[in-house]
Amino acid sequence: MTDAGLDVQLPIETERLVLRPHRMDDLDDLAVFHGDADVVRFVPWPVRDRAATEEALRVKLTQTGLVAHGQWLVLAVEVRETGTVIGEVLLKWASHRQGEIGFAFARSHQGRGYAAEAARAMLRLGFDGLGFHRISAVVIDGNDASVRLLGRLGFRQEARLVDGVHFKDRWATQLVLAMLEDEWRERDGAT
């Protein structure tokens, strides 16, 4: 940690992916999944048309660092081989040594291990790079694919908050999953 916040070194490269700050030329790729009702069903934003996606992208351009509690680092997930942005991963500096992770991926690229690869890289950043003690994920009940992915990464469910949030014009149950730093250390290399 520095006086200016947490020191985040970007881009982050994995075997198949580059996790990097967004650029305006990501708009076409983002519009594909931001406008897909199946993709955004369990994320906080509504289905977006191109104009709304562009407006959201302009905000994402500023979310490239972590200088205060409550901020989100929002990174484009680009396939190294093609340069296509297929999703986004997020890491929030929630409070002292605590983070929260999130992700969304284009439907055409789901089921190929990209989300796990990107999420694992963000966990590595949070635990190894930023010194987080605990990283959580909040999932809307029914988002079984995300719960399974988080379980494979080593998260455990800590809470089930029945009608815990008003989400997309209805009450929804939230699942809180988390992983501690020592649990990450035990699993890192094994996942």
Side-chain angles (χ1 to χ4, degrees), residues 20-58:
R20 57 159 177 81
H22 282 283
R23 302 185 301 245
M24 278 310 294
D25 63 358
D26 295 338
L27 180 57
D28 290 338
D29 293 339
L30 290 182
V32 170
F33 65 93
H34 280 234
D36 185 332
D38 286 340
V39 172
V40 303
R41 180 175 163 202
F42 295 112
V43 298
W45 69 75
V47 173
R48 293 178 173 148
D49 62 15
R50 184 177 178 81
T53 302
E54 181 176 350
E55 185 178 325
L57 175 56
R58 291 190 187 283

mmCIF file of all heavy atoms in Angstrom, residues 20-58:
data_model
loop_
_atom_site.group_PDB
_atom_site.id
_atom_site.type_symbol
_atom_site.label_atom_id
_atom_site.label_comp_id
_atom_site.label_asym_id
_atom_site.label_seq_id
_atom_site.Cartn_x
_atom_site.Cartn_y
_atom_site.Cartn_z
ATOM 1 N N ARG A 20 -6.803 -5.819 -18.482
ATOM 2 C CA ARG A 20 -6.249 -4.477 -18.663
ATOM 3 C C ARG A 20 -7.333 -3.431 -18.472
ATOM 4 O O ARG A 20 -8.527 -3.743 -18.531
ATOM 5 C CB ARG A 20 -5.647 -4.356 -20.049
ATOM 6 C CG ARG A 20 -6.674 -4.663 -21.150
ATOM 7 C CD ARG A 20 -6.284 -4.083 -22.475
ATOM 8 N NE ARG A 20 -7.192 -4.415 -23.546
ATOM 9 C CZ ARG A 20 -8.344 -3.787 -23.784
ATOM 10 N NH1 ARG A 20 -8.751 -2.802 -23.004
ATOM 11 N NH2 ARG A 20 -9.104 -4.132 -24.811
ATOM 12 N N PRO A 21 -6.916 -2.163 -18.277
ATOM 13 C CA PRO A 21 -7.913 -1.106 -18.221
ATOM 14 C C PRO A 21 -8.686 -1.040 -19.537
ATOM 15 O O PRO A 21 -8.156 -1.367 -20.611
ATOM 16 C CB PRO A 21 -7.074 0.167 -18.025
ATOM 17 C CG PRO A 21 -5.803 -0.315 -17.406
ATOM 18 C CD PRO A 21 -5.560 -1.674 -18.015
ATOM 19 N N HIS A 22 -9.923 -0.616 -19.447
ATOM 20 C CA HIS A 22 -10.749 -0.453 -20.642
ATOM 21 C C HIS A 22 -10.210 0.663 -21.521
ATOM 22 O O HIS A 22 -9.537 1.579 -21.043
ATOM 23 C CB HIS A 22 -12.200 -0.133 -20.251
ATOM 24 C CG HIS A 22 -12.970 -1.321 -19.806
ATOM 25 N ND1 HIS A 22 -13.473 -2.247 -20.678
ATOM 26 C CD2 HIS A 22 -13.332 -1.733 -18.577
ATOM 27 C CE1 HIS A 22 -14.115 -3.186 -20.010
ATOM 28 N NE2 HIS A 22 -14.040 -2.896 -18.720
ATOM 29 N N ARG A 23 -10.555 0.583 -22.808
ATOM 30 C CA ARG A 23 -10.265 1.626 -23.796
ATOM 31 C C ARG A 23 -11.555 1.891 -24.560
ATOM 32 O O ARG A 23 -12.433 1.032 -24.633
ATOM 33 C CB ARG A 23 -9.191 1.152 -24.780
ATOM 34 C CG ARG A 23 -7.879 0.757 -24.137
ATOM 35 C CD ARG A 23 -6.823 0.404 -25.179
ATOM 36 N NE ARG A 23 -7.201 -0.682 -26.042
ATOM 37 C CZ ARG A 23 -6.583 -1.873 -26.099
ATOM 38 N NH1 ARG A 23 -5.539 -2.111 -25.329
ATOM 39 N NH2 ARG A 23 -6.993 -2.797 -26.927
ATOM 40 N N MET A 24 -11.663 3.064 -25.149
ATOM 41 C CA MET A 24 -12.879 3.389 -25.908
ATOM 42 C C MET A 24 -13.120 2.410 -27.052
ATOM 43 O O MET A 24 -14.263 2.127 -27.392
ATOM 44 C CB MET A 24 -12.835 4.826 -26.435
ATOM 45 C CG MET A 24 -13.235 5.874 -25.410
ATOM 46 S SD MET A 24 -14.793 5.579 -24.519
ATOM 47 C CE MET A 24 -16.000 5.705 -25.823
ATOM 48 N N ASP A 25 -12.051 1.853 -27.609
ATOM 49 C CA ASP A 25 -12.262 0.916 -28.726
ATOM 50 C C ASP A 25 -12.787 -0.448 -28.268
ATOM 51 O O ASP A 25 -12.985 -1.347 -29.077
ATOM 52 C CB ASP A 25 -11.030 0.797 -29.616
ATOM 53 C CG ASP A 25 -9.807 0.233 -28.912
ATOM 54 O OD1 ASP A 25 -9.868 -0.049 -27.696
ATOM 55 O OD2 ASP A 25 -8.772 0.070 -29.585
ATOM 56 N N ASP A 26 -13.081 -0.600 -26.974
ATOM 57 C CA ASP A 26 -13.721 -1.822 -26.461
ATOM 58 C C ASP A 26 -15.237 -1.788 -26.663
ATOM 59 O O ASP A 26 -15.913 -2.789 -26.414
ATOM 60 C CB ASP A 26 -13.455 -1.998 -24.959
ATOM 61 C CG ASP A 26 -11.997 -2.232 -24.619
ATOM 62 O OD1 ASP A 26 -11.238 -2.677 -25.501
ATOM 63 O OD2 ASP A 26 -11.624 -1.972 -23.459
ATOM 64 N N LEU A 27 -15.768 -0.668 -27.097
ATOM 65 C CA LEU A 27 -17.220 -0.469 -27.120
ATOM 66 C C LEU A 27 -17.964 -1.564 -27.880
ATOM 67 O O LEU A 27 -18.951 -2.097 -27.379
ATOM 68 C CB LEU A 27 -17.566 0.910 -27.696
ATOM 69 C CG LEU A 27 -19.058 1.234 -27.771
ATOM 70 C CD1 LEU A 27 -19.723 1.143 -26.407
ATOM 71 C CD2 LEU A 27 -19.260 2.611 -28.388
ATOM 72 N N ASP A 28 -17.528 -1.907 -29.068
ATOM 73 C CA ASP A 28 -18.242 -2.925 -29.851
ATOM 74 C C ASP A 28 -18.299 -4.258 -29.111
ATOM 75 O O ASP A 28 -19.354 -4.910 -29.077
ATOM 76 C CB ASP A 28 -17.594 -3.117 -31.225
ATOM 77 C CG ASP A 28 -17.794 -1.929 -32.139
ATOM 78 O OD1 ASP A 28 -18.739 -1.140 -31.914
ATOM 79 O OD2 ASP A 28 -16.992 -1.778 -33.087
ATOM 80 N N ASP A 29 -17.174 -4.670 -28.524
ATOM 81 C CA ASP A 29 -17.146 -5.941 -27.794
ATOM 82 C C ASP A 29 -18.021 -5.882 -26.541
ATOM 83 O O ASP A 29 -18.744 -6.835 -26.242
ATOM 84 C CB ASP A 29 -15.711 -6.307 -27.406
ATOM 85 C CG ASP A 29 -14.830 -6.641 -28.601
ATOM 86 O OD1 ASP A 29 -15.379 -6.991 -29.677
ATOM 87 O OD2 ASP A 29 -13.596 -6.562 -28.469
ATOM 88 N N LEU A 30 -17.970 -4.769 -25.819
ATOM 89 C CA LEU A 30 -18.786 -4.642 -24.605
ATOM 90 C C LEU A 30 -20.271 -4.637 -24.931
ATOM 91 O O LEU A 30 -21.074 -5.227 -24.201
ATOM 92 C CB LEU A 30 -18.441 -3.354 -23.853
ATOM 93 C CG LEU A 30 -17.084 -3.282 -23.173
ATOM 94 C CD1 LEU A 30 -16.944 -1.947 -22.452
ATOM 95 C CD2 LEU A 30 -16.878 -4.423 -22.210
ATOM 96 N N ALA A 31 -20.640 -3.975 -26.020
ATOM 97 C CA ALA A 31 -22.055 -3.883 -26.391
ATOM 98 C C ALA A 31 -22.667 -5.267 -26.596
ATOM 99 O O ALA A 31 -23.855 -5.463 -26.329
ATOM 100 C CB ALA A 31 -22.216 -3.026 -27.642
ATOM 101 N N VAL A 32 -21.864 -6.234 -27.020
ATOM 102 C CA VAL A 32 -22.354 -7.596 -27.249
ATOM 103 C C VAL A 32 -22.894 -8.195 -25.958
ATOM 104 O O VAL A 32 -24.005 -8.721 -25.922
ATOM 105 C CB VAL A 32 -21.249 -8.499 -27.849
ATOM 106 C CG1 VAL A 32 -21.670 -9.956 -27.856
ATOM 107 C CG2 VAL A 32 -20.877 -8.031 -29.247
ATOM 108 N N PHE A 33 -22.129 -8.115 -24.872
ATOM 109 C CA PHE A 33 -22.619 -8.774 -23.658
ATOM 110 C C PHE A 33 -23.356 -7.839 -22.712
ATOM 111 O O PHE A 33 -24.184 -8.291 -21.929
ATOM 112 C CB PHE A 33 -21.536 -9.601 -22.953
ATOM 113 C CG PHE A 33 -20.371 -8.860 -22.390
ATOM 114 C CD1 PHE A 33 -20.366 -8.438 -21.079
ATOM 115 C CD2 PHE A 33 -19.244 -8.628 -23.162
ATOM 116 C CE1 PHE A 33 -19.269 -7.785 -20.554
ATOM 117 C CE2 PHE A 33 -18.147 -7.983 -22.644
ATOM 118 C CZ PHE A 33 -18.160 -7.553 -21.328
ATOM 119 N N HIS A 34 -23.118 -6.541 -22.776
ATOM 120 C CA HIS A 34 -23.913 -5.616 -21.963
ATOM 121 C C HIS A 34 -25.360 -5.570 -22.452
ATOM 122 O O HIS A 34 -26.262 -5.229 -21.684
ATOM 123 C CB HIS A 34 -23.305 -4.211 -21.998
ATOM 124 C CG HIS A 34 -22.142 -4.048 -21.079
ATOM 125 N ND1 HIS A 34 -22.069 -3.065 -20.135
ATOM 126 C CD2 HIS A 34 -20.989 -4.759 -20.945
ATOM 127 C CE1 HIS A 34 -20.940 -3.156 -19.469
ATOM 128 N NE2 HIS A 34 -20.262 -4.177 -19.951
ATOM 129 N N GLY A 35 -25.573 -5.913 -23.715
ATOM 130 C CA GLY A 35 -26.916 -5.910 -24.274
ATOM 131 C C GLY A 35 -27.600 -7.269 -24.269
ATOM 132 O O GLY A 35 -28.698 -7.415 -24.804
ATOM 133 N N ASP A 36 -26.979 -8.265 -23.669
ATOM 134 C CA ASP A 36 -27.502 -9.631 -23.655
ATOM 135 C C ASP A 36 -28.234 -9.880 -22.331
ATOM 136 O O ASP A 36 -27.612 -9.933 -21.261
ATOM 137 C CB ASP A 36 -26.342 -10.617 -23.824
ATOM 138 C CG ASP A 36 -26.795 -12.055 -23.949
ATOM 139 O OD1 ASP A 36 -27.866 -12.424 -23.409
ATOM 140 O OD2 ASP A 36 -26.053 -12.846 -24.573
ATOM 141 N N ALA A 37 -29.537 -10.049 -22.403
ATOM 142 C CA ALA A 37 -30.359 -10.232 -21.200
ATOM 143 C C ALA A 37 -29.910 -11.441 -20.376
ATOM 144 O O ALA A 37 -29.978 -11.407 -19.144
ATOM 145 C CB ALA A 37 -31.830 -10.371 -21.579
ATOM 146 N N ASP A 38 -29.459 -12.506 -21.033
ATOM 147 C CA ASP A 38 -28.994 -13.682 -20.290
ATOM 148 C C ASP A 38 -27.731 -13.385 -19.492
ATOM 149 O O ASP A 38 -27.545 -13.901 -18.397
ATOM 150 C CB ASP A 38 -28.743 -14.862 -21.232
ATOM 151 C CG ASP A 38 -30.030 -15.499 -21.722
ATOM 152 O OD1 ASP A 38 -31.085 -15.307 -21.073
ATOM 153 O OD2 ASP A 38 -29.985 -16.181 -22.764
ATOM 154 N N VAL A 39 -26.848 -12.573 -20.044
ATOM 155 C CA VAL A 39 -25.596 -12.237 -19.358
ATOM 156 C C VAL A 39 -25.864 -11.310 -18.173
ATOM 157 O O VAL A 39 -25.324 -11.504 -17.088
ATOM 158 C CB VAL A 39 -24.577 -11.602 -20.331
ATOM 159 C CG1 VAL A 39 -23.357 -11.062 -19.579
ATOM 160 C CG2 VAL A 39 -24.141 -12.616 -21.389
ATOM 161 N N VAL A 40 -26.700 -10.309 -18.363
ATOM 162 C CA VAL A 40 -26.892 -9.305 -17.310
ATOM 163 C C VAL A 40 -27.986 -9.677 -16.308
ATOM 164 O O VAL A 40 -28.233 -8.930 -15.366
ATOM 165 C CB VAL A 40 -27.141 -7.896 -17.894
ATOM 166 C CG1 VAL A 40 -26.006 -7.481 -18.806
ATOM 167 C CG2 VAL A 40 -28.466 -7.803 -18.587
ATOM 168 N N ARG A 41 -28.565 -10.822 -16.461
ATOM 169 C CA ARG A 41 -29.641 -11.259 -15.572
ATOM 170 C C ARG A 41 -29.265 -11.188 -14.096
ATOM 171 O O ARG A 41 -30.073 -10.829 -13.252
ATOM 172 C CB ARG A 41 -30.021 -12.691 -15.950
ATOM 173 C CG ARG A 41 -31.099 -13.289 -15.134
ATOM 174 C CD ARG A 41 -31.461 -14.648 -15.696
ATOM 175 N NE ARG A 41 -32.200 -15.399 -14.708
ATOM 176 C CZ ARG A 41 -32.304 -16.702 -14.701
ATOM 177 N NH1 ARG A 41 -31.719 -17.413 -15.650
ATOM 178 N NH2 ARG A 41 -32.986 -17.310 -13.785
ATOM 179 N N PHE A 42 -28.020 -11.520 -13.773
ATOM 180 C CA PHE A 42 -27.589 -11.576 -12.377
ATOM 181 C C PHE A 42 -26.590 -10.488 -11.999
ATOM 182 O O PHE A 42 -25.982 -10.559 -10.932
ATOM 183 C CB PHE A 42 -26.981 -12.945 -12.070
ATOM 184 C CG PHE A 42 -27.976 -14.074 -12.159
ATOM 185 C CD1 PHE A 42 -27.873 -15.018 -13.167
ATOM 186 C CD2 PHE A 42 -28.998 -14.185 -11.235
ATOM 187 C CE1 PHE A 42 -28.783 -16.069 -13.245
ATOM 188 C CE2 PHE A 42 -29.909 -15.231 -11.312
ATOM 189 C CZ PHE A 42 -29.806 -16.177 -12.314
ATOM 190 N N VAL A 43 -26.373 -9.503 -12.862
ATOM 191 C CA VAL A 43 -25.457 -8.408 -12.541
ATOM 192 C C VAL A 43 -26.267 -7.142 -12.272
ATOM 193 O O VAL A 43 -27.419 -7.033 -12.712
ATOM 194 C CB VAL A 43 -24.401 -8.182 -13.646
ATOM 195 C CG1 VAL A 43 -23.518 -9.405 -13.819
ATOM 196 C CG2 VAL A 43 -25.043 -7.798 -14.956
ATOM 197 N N PRO A 44 -25.679 -6.165 -11.580
ATOM 198 C CA PRO A 44 -26.465 -4.996 -11.156
ATOM 199 C C PRO A 44 -26.946 -4.089 -12.274
ATOM 200 O O PRO A 44 -27.888 -3.334 -12.072
ATOM 201 C CB PRO A 44 -25.495 -4.226 -10.241
ATOM 202 C CG PRO A 44 -24.446 -5.196 -9.856
ATOM 203 C CD PRO A 44 -24.363 -6.190 -10.957
ATOM 204 N N TRP A 45 -26.330 -4.133 -13.445
ATOM 205 C CA TRP A 45 -26.770 -3.201 -14.480
ATOM 206 C C TRP A 45 -27.874 -3.811 -15.338
ATOM 207 O O TRP A 45 -27.997 -5.028 -15.454
ATOM 208 C CB TRP A 45 -25.592 -2.722 -15.325
ATOM 209 C CG TRP A 45 -24.950 -3.750 -16.212
ATOM 210 C CD1 TRP A 45 -25.444 -4.254 -17.385
ATOM 211 C CD2 TRP A 45 -23.682 -4.384 -16.041
ATOM 212 N NE1 TRP A 45 -24.578 -5.157 -17.939
ATOM 213 C CE2 TRP A 45 -23.478 -5.247 -17.133
ATOM 214 C CE3 TRP A 45 -22.692 -4.297 -15.070
ATOM 215 C CZ2 TRP A 45 -22.329 -6.025 -17.284
ATOM 216 C CZ3 TRP A 45 -21.551 -5.072 -15.218
ATOM 217 C CH2 TRP A 45 -21.399 -5.915 -16.316
ATOM 218 N N PRO A 46 -28.689 -2.941 -15.967
ATOM 219 C CA PRO A 46 -29.759 -3.419 -16.849
ATOM 220 C C PRO A 46 -29.193 -3.774 -18.222
ATOM 221 O O PRO A 46 -28.031 -3.496 -18.520
ATOM 222 C CB PRO A 46 -30.678 -2.197 -16.963
ATOM 223 C CG PRO A 46 -29.745 -1.036 -16.829
ATOM 224 C CD PRO A 46 -28.690 -1.473 -15.833
ATOM 225 N N VAL A 47 -30.025 -4.378 -19.057
ATOM 226 C CA VAL A 47 -29.646 -4.581 -20.453
ATOM 227 C C VAL A 47 -29.381 -3.194 -21.039
ATOM 228 O O VAL A 47 -30.185 -2.272 -20.862
ATOM 229 C CB VAL A 47 -30.770 -5.300 -21.241
ATOM 230 C CG1 VAL A 47 -30.452 -5.353 -22.719
ATOM 231 C CG2 VAL A 47 -30.995 -6.697 -20.670
ATOM 232 N N ARG A 48 -28.244 -3.055 -21.697
ATOM 233 C CA ARG A 48 -27.852 -1.741 -22.215
ATOM 234 C C ARG A 48 -27.815 -1.755 -23.739
ATOM 235 O O ARG A 48 -27.302 -2.707 -24.336
ATOM 236 C CB ARG A 48 -26.458 -1.374 -21.709
ATOM 237 C CG ARG A 48 -26.391 -1.127 -20.221
ATOM 238 C CD ARG A 48 -24.980 -0.816 -19.784
ATOM 239 N NE ARG A 48 -24.947 -0.413 -18.379
ATOM 240 C CZ ARG A 48 -23.931 -0.667 -17.565
ATOM 241 N NH1 ARG A 48 -22.856 -1.306 -18.002
ATOM 242 N NH2 ARG A 48 -23.989 -0.266 -16.315
ATOM 243 N N ASP A 49 -28.302 -0.673 -24.323
ATOM 244 C CA ASP A 49 -28.107 -0.488 -25.759
ATOM 245 C C ASP A 49 -26.705 0.102 -25.957
ATOM 246 O O ASP A 49 -25.962 0.320 -24.995
ATOM 247 C CB ASP A 49 -29.213 0.392 -26.363
ATOM 248 C CG ASP A 49 -29.249 1.802 -25.794
ATOM 249 O OD1 ASP A 49 -28.274 2.254 -25.127
ATOM 250 O OD2 ASP A 49 -30.262 2.484 -26.025
ATOM 251 N N ARG A 50 -26.347 0.383 -27.195
ATOM 252 C CA ARG A 50 -24.998 0.865 -27.484
ATOM 253 C C ARG A 50 -24.704 2.191 -26.773
ATOM 254 O O ARG A 50 -23.621 2.368 -26.217
ATOM 255 C CB ARG A 50 -24.807 1.000 -28.999
ATOM 256 C CG ARG A 50 -23.403 1.406 -29.379
ATOM 257 C CD ARG A 50 -23.256 1.448 -30.914
ATOM 258 N NE ARG A 50 -21.932 1.890 -31.285
ATOM 259 C CZ ARG A 50 -20.853 1.134 -31.306
ATOM 260 N NH1 ARG A 50 -20.944 -0.151 -30.983
ATOM 261 N NH2 ARG A 50 -19.677 1.626 -31.652
ATOM 262 N N ALA A 51 -25.657 3.110 -26.753
ATOM 263 C CA ALA A 51 -25.440 4.407 -26.111
ATOM 264 C C ALA A 51 -25.221 4.242 -24.608
ATOM 265 O O ALA A 51 -24.329 4.876 -24.026
ATOM 266 C CB ALA A 51 -26.607 5.339 -26.390
ATOM 267 N N ALA A 52 -26.009 3.411 -23.969
ATOM 268 C CA ALA A 52 -25.857 3.178 -22.530
ATOM 269 C C ALA A 52 -24.547 2.453 -22.235
ATOM 270 O O ALA A 52 -23.891 2.724 -21.221
ATOM 271 C CB ALA A 52 -27.047 2.388 -21.986
ATOM 272 N N THR A 53 -24.147 1.550 -23.125
ATOM 273 C CA THR A 53 -22.873 0.859 -22.957
ATOM 274 C C THR A 53 -21.720 1.847 -23.077
ATOM 275 O O THR A 53 -20.759 1.797 -22.308
ATOM 276 C CB THR A 53 -22.722 -0.287 -23.984
ATOM 277 O OG1 THR A 53 -23.808 -1.199 -23.815
ATOM 278 C CG2 THR A 53 -21.414 -1.028 -23.805
ATOM 279 N N GLU A 54 -21.830 2.769 -24.016
ATOM 280 C CA GLU A 54 -20.777 3.782 -24.163
ATOM 281 C C GLU A 54 -20.690 4.654 -22.911
ATOM 282 O O GLU A 54 -19.590 4.972 -22.440
ATOM 283 C CB GLU A 54 -21.031 4.654 -25.395
ATOM 284 C CG GLU A 54 -19.944 5.699 -25.604
ATOM 285 C CD GLU A 54 -20.124 6.510 -26.873
ATOM 286 O OE1 GLU A 54 -20.977 6.159 -27.720
ATOM 287 O OE2 GLU A 54 -19.390 7.499 -27.018
ATOM 288 N N GLU A 55 -21.828 5.026 -22.361
ATOM 289 C CA GLU A 55 -21.844 5.828 -21.131
ATOM 290 C C GLU A 55 -21.183 5.062 -19.985
ATOM 291 O O GLU A 55 -20.372 5.619 -19.234
ATOM 292 C CB GLU A 55 -23.288 6.182 -20.787
ATOM 293 C CG GLU A 55 -23.435 7.100 -19.607
ATOM 294 C CD GLU A 55 -24.891 7.463 -19.351
ATOM 295 O OE1 GLU A 55 -25.668 7.600 -20.316
ATOM 296 O OE2 GLU A 55 -25.241 7.592 -18.166
ATOM 297 N N ALA A 56 -21.502 3.779 -19.855
ATOM 298 C CA ALA A 56 -20.891 2.951 -18.813
ATOM 299 C C ALA A 56 -19.388 2.802 -19.056
ATOM 300 O O ALA A 56 -18.595 2.827 -18.106
ATOM 301 C CB ALA A 56 -21.559 1.578 -18.776
ATOM 302 N N LEU A 57 -18.996 2.656 -20.303
ATOM 303 C CA LEU A 57 -17.580 2.513 -20.640
ATOM 304 C C LEU A 57 -16.804 3.755 -20.207
ATOM 305 O O LEU A 57 -15.685 3.648 -19.694
ATOM 306 C CB LEU A 57 -17.414 2.247 -22.140
ATOM 307 C CG LEU A 57 -15.981 2.182 -22.665
ATOM 308 C CD1 LEU A 57 -15.142 1.142 -21.923
ATOM 309 C CD2 LEU A 57 -16.000 1.887 -24.170
ATOM 310 N N ARG A 58 -17.370 4.919 -20.386
ATOM 311 C CA ARG A 58 -16.685 6.161 -19.978
ATOM 312 C C ARG A 58 -16.396 6.157 -18.469
ATOM 313 O O ARG A 58 -15.357 6.649 -18.030
ATOM 314 C CB ARG A 58 -17.490 7.379 -20.397
ATOM 315 C CG ARG A 58 -17.491 7.560 -21.907
ATOM 316 C CD ARG A 58 -18.083 8.878 -22.353
ATOM 317 N NE ARG A 58 -18.211 8.917 -23.793
ATOM 318 C CZ ARG A 58 -17.209 9.123 -24.655
ATOM 319 N NH1 ARG A 58 -15.978 9.307 -24.182
ATOM 320 N NH2 ARG A 58 -17.416 9.137 -25.950
#
